[in-house]
C-alpha cells in the first residue's frame, strides 16, 4: 500500500524593516512646579480682586455692614488691608503706630535686658521679664515668648551673638534704629505698651487689626484713619525740592473686613 503524505508548504522567514519618520516629534515644554504655583497664586489674587471689586462704600457704612455680619461674635476684630505702590526688590514697608484706642486682644509681653538700677526701673514700669544674660536660654527655648524686646546699650553686645538669628526674623531684635536700645527704659516701656508694629508682605500689602466689633463707630473710624495716616507717612517718599508742595500717596486701595466678614473696599480712605 502506498502512503501519500501531504507536504506542507515551506515557510519562508519574513524580514521586518523598521522605518523612522524624518520629521521630529515636537513636545510641549513642561511647566516647573514653581511656575505652576505662581500661576495659581496669580489666578487666586485676580479672583479675589474681582470678588472685592464689587463692594465699595464709605468707611462708616462698611463698618456698619461688618458689624451686622458679626452680630453673634461681638469680640471679633475689624481688619484693614492696604495695597501700596511697591517696587519689586525693595524692603517691605514697616513702621509703628499709637492708635487712639488699643485694638489688640492680648496685652504686650515686654522683655527688658537690663541690670542694676535700670532693671529696677523696668520692673517698676511694668515690664514682664527683666534680667541679663541669664534670660537668653529661656528665650531660645521659648519659655519666654515676648512681643516686644528692649535692651540697654551695655547688654546689647552680650545678647546679639546668641539672639540675633533667633529674634531677628521675628522683628524683635533690639536695635538703635527702632528705638529699642535705650538707657532710660521707663518711657520706652510705656511706648511699647501703647504702640503697635505694622509690616507689609513681599507684595507691599499691609494687614492689621485696627478696632473691635463692639466699639462705637466713632472709635472705629478714628482708629482706621490714624492707622492709614501712619502707613501713608511711613511709605510716602520725602518730597524733593521746594516746589513740590504735596507728596504723592503710595496707598492704592484700602479694604475693611472682619474676622468672618467679607472685604469691602473703602472709597473715602485714600
Amino acid at each position: 500500500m502506498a502512503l501519500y503524505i501531504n507536504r506542507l508548504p515551506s515557510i519562508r522567514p519574513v524580514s521586518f524593516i523598521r522605518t523612522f519618520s524624518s520629521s521630529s516629534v515636537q513636545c510641549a515644554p513642561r511647566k516647573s512646579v514653581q511656575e505652576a504655583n505662581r500661576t495659581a497664586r496669580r489666578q487666586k489674587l485676580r479672583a479675589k480682586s474681582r470678588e472685592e471689586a464689587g463692594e465699595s462704600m464709605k468707611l462708616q457704612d462698611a463698618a456698619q455692614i461688618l458689624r451686622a455680619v458679626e452680630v453673634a461674635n461681638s469680640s471679633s476684630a475689624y481688619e484693614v488691608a492696604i495695597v501700596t505702590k511697591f517696587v519689586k526688590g525693595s524692603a517691605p514697608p514697616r513702621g509703628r503706630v499709637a492708635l487712639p484706642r488699643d485694638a489688640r486682644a492680648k496685652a504686650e509681653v515686654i522683655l527688658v535686658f537690663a541690670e542694676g538700677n535700670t532693671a529696677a526701673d523696668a520692673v517698676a514700669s511694668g515690664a514682664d521679664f527683666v534680667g541679663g544674660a541669664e534670660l537668653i536660654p529661656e528665650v531660645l527655648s521659648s519659655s519666654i515668648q515676648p512681643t516686644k524686646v528692649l535692651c540697654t546699650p551695655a547688654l546689647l553686645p552680650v545678647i546679639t551673638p546668641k539672639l540675633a538669628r533667633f529674634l531677628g526674623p521675628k522683628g524683635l531684635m533690639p536695635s538703635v534704629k527702632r528705638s529699642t536700645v535705650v538707657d532710660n527704659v521707663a518711657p520706652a516701656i510705656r511706648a511699647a505698651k501703647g504702640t503697635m508694629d505694622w509690616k507689609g508682605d513681599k507684595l507691599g500689602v499691609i494687614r492689621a487689626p485696627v478696632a473691635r466689633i463692639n466699639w462705637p463707630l466713632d472709635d472705629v473710624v478714628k482708629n482706621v484713619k490714624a492707622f492709614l495716616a501712619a502707613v501713608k507717612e511711613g511709605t510716602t517718599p520725602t518730597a524733593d525740592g521746594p516746589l513740590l508742595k504735596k507728596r504723592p500717596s503710595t496707598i492704592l486701595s484700602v479694604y475693611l473686613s472682619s474676622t468672618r466678614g467679607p472685604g469691602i473696599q473703602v472709597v473715602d480712605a485714600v
Side-chain angles (χ1 to χ4, degrees), residues 36-178:
N37 291 338
R38 285 195 295 269
T39 302
R41 284 196 296 269
R42 284 196 294 268
Q43 292 175 350
K44 185 177 180 180
L45 287 173
R46 284 196 292 267
K48 186 177 180 181
S49 300
R50 288 194 296 268
E51 178 184 353
E52 293 175 338
E55 296 291 343
S56 60
M57 58 190 67
K58 293 184 177 181
L59 174 58
Q60 192 160 359
D61 295 336
Q64 288 178 333
I65 289 180
L66 292 172
R67 175 171 294 185
V69 173
E70 300 282 356
V71 65
N73 304 282
S74 59
S75 61
S76 298
Y78 285 106
E79 300 175 356
V80 292
I82 305 173
V83 182
T84 63
K85 293 180 182 177
F86 186 68
V87 179
K88 186 177 181 180
S90 59
R94 64 191 306 166
R96 180 176 295 175
V97 59
L99 297 176
R101 185 172 175 180
D102 193 358
R104 290 167 293 194
K106 297 181 180 179
E108 295 283 0
V109 179
I110 300 178
L111 167 64
V112 180
F113 287 100
E115 294 177 335
N117 295 332
T118 307
D121 293 340
V123 174
S125 299
D128 298 283
F129 301 96
V130 181
E134 70 277 4
L135 295 180
I136 293 177
E138 297 185 48
V139 175
L140 293 175
S141 64
S142 298
S143 298
I144 298 177
Q145 297 181 355
T147 57
K148 295 285 177 65
V149 181
L150 304 174
C151 183
T152 59
L155 286 179
L156 186 61
V158 177
I159 69 169
T160 298
K162 297 181 179 179
L163 292 181
R165 292 187 178 181
F166 185 78
L167 295 178
K170 300 178 181 180
L172 297 176
M173 187 62 196
S175 66
V176 177
K177 185 178 179 180
R178 300 183 64 191

Side-chain angles (χ1 to χ4, degrees), residues 248-267:
S249 175
T250 57
I251 298 178
L252 300 178
S253 57
V254 178
Y255 296 90
L256 184 69
S257 64
S258 61
T259 304
R260 297 170 181 82
I264 302 175
Q265 185 174 5
V266 180
V267 295

Side-chain angles (χ1 to χ4, degrees), residues 236-248:
T236 303
T238 306
D240 295 327
L243 299 178
L244 188 57
K245 297 180 180 180
K246 185 178 180 181
R247 295 179 294 174

